[in-house]
Amino acid sequence: PLSIAVACALTLAPLAFAWQDAGKSQVTAYIKTLEMIGAQGTGSQEAQKAWKEISQLPPSNLVQVIAALDHQKPVFANYIRSAVWAIVQNSQKNNKPIPTQQVRAFLKDSKQNPSARGLAMEVLKSLDGEWLASEIPGFLADSAPELRREAVAYWISEAENFSKEKKAEDAKATYKKALAKASDKDQVDRSEEHTSELQSRGLISYA
């Protein structure tokens, strides 16, 4: 399914780019067409046409397209992801300002779809990495798995730094903070491994 979206991108690439400004209702119609594509690629011809229209939208429509992402519909999600990156790349190529403030606001709005907020985070990593890095620690209890994972990774890294600085109790407290919100096995294992090492060296108590 991903190859369908990639093929669309390759088809679009050689064309002379022309901005196609569209109102929200028109963009919604394009997105609905993409959403109707079947798991086996049925309706792909119409979807490719809709994808082309979306991918040529100006950056002012970026957040609306990001908001459409739904990981429960993998084929549709692939189209949306590739369209978002096409809009970003076309905007950069044509020196059009990307509304990072709007993407920031969308990312921080916990009422939005968690999957879509994860995509917003990916976009900001590319466009606004310094700001994103300053916000990541605060997403430790976030409903979006991608954001929470980034925050857990940050606090594990902080705990490891405390450990290197021989601040064992600070390391223990920070590992505990990360573990309380970690849900991915690799992060849980990493935190428990380091905590056990500190305990075995007698640097922290088991309490």
Side-chain angles (χ1 to χ4, degrees), residues 70-87:
D70 185 350
H71 277 165
Q72 294 182 359
K73 301 175 181 177
V75 179
F76 171 63
N78 287 338
Y79 272 110
I80 291 297
R81 281 185 175 279
S82 62
V84 163
W85 288 112
I87 293 171

Side-chain angles (χ1 to χ4, degrees), residues 156-174:
I156 290 175
S157 179
E158 285 293 288
E160 290 172 351
N161 288 336
F162 282 134
S163 182
K164 290 174 184 176
E165 295 168 2
K166 303 189 184 305
K167 298 178 180 178
E169 289 300 326
D170 288 335
K172 175 187 174 181
T174 308

Side-chain angles (χ1 to χ4, degrees), residues 84-144:
V84 163
W85 288 112
I87 293 171
V88 170
Q89 290 166 8
N90 288 331
S91 300
Q92 292 173 324
K93 190 181 299 182
N94 290 274
N95 296 316
K96 295 290 184 180
I98 296 172
T100 52
Q101 291 290 344
Q102 292 179 22
V103 182
R104 287 180 180 183
F106 182 86
L107 175 75
K108 296 184 74 172
D109 185 355
S110 60
K111 296 177 183 178
Q112 299 294 339
N113 183 298
S115 297
R117 292 175 65 224
L119 179 55
M121 179 186 71
E122 292 176 26
V123 170
L124 288 169
K125 272 186 180 180
S126 173
L127 302 176
D128 201 7
E130 187 175 343
W131 176 86
L132 180 63
S134 71
E135 295 291 320
I136 285 296
F139 291 122
L140 192 59
D142 201 272
S143 60

Side-chain angles (χ1 to χ4, degrees), residues 2-114:
L2 181 58
S3 60
I4 297 173
V6 172
C8 291
L10 293 175
T11 301
L12 179 65
L15 300 179
F17 186 79
W19 293 106
Q20 297 183 5
D21 202 354
K24 287 187 176 181
S25 59
Q26 184 61 66
V27 176
T28 298
Y30 295 147
I31 290 170
K32 289 291 184 185
T33 300
L34 281 184
E35 200 169 7
M36 288 189 294
I37 187 170
Q40 303 304 318
T42 55
S44 60
Q45 187 172 0
E46 293 79 5
Q48 288 176 26
K49 291 178 182 177
W51 181 91
K52 182 178 176 181
E53 297 291 344
I54 295 171
S55 67
Q56 292 182 335
L57 290 169
S60 57
N61 293 111
L62 180 62
V63 170
Q64 185 181 359
V65 180
I66 289 174
L69 186 75
D70 185 350
H71 277 165
Q72 294 182 359
K73 301 175 181 177
V75 179
F76 171 63
N78 287 338
Y79 272 110
I80 291 297
R81 281 185 175 279
S82 62
V84 163
W85 288 112
I87 293 171
V88 170
Q89 290 166 8
N90 288 331
S91 300
Q92 292 173 324
K93 190 181 299 182
N94 290 274
N95 296 316
K96 295 290 184 180
I98 296 172
T100 52
Q101 291 290 344
Q102 292 179 22
V103 182
R104 287 180 180 183
F106 182 86
L107 175 75
K108 296 184 74 172
D109 185 355
S110 60
K111 296 177 183 178
Q112 299 294 339
N113 183 298

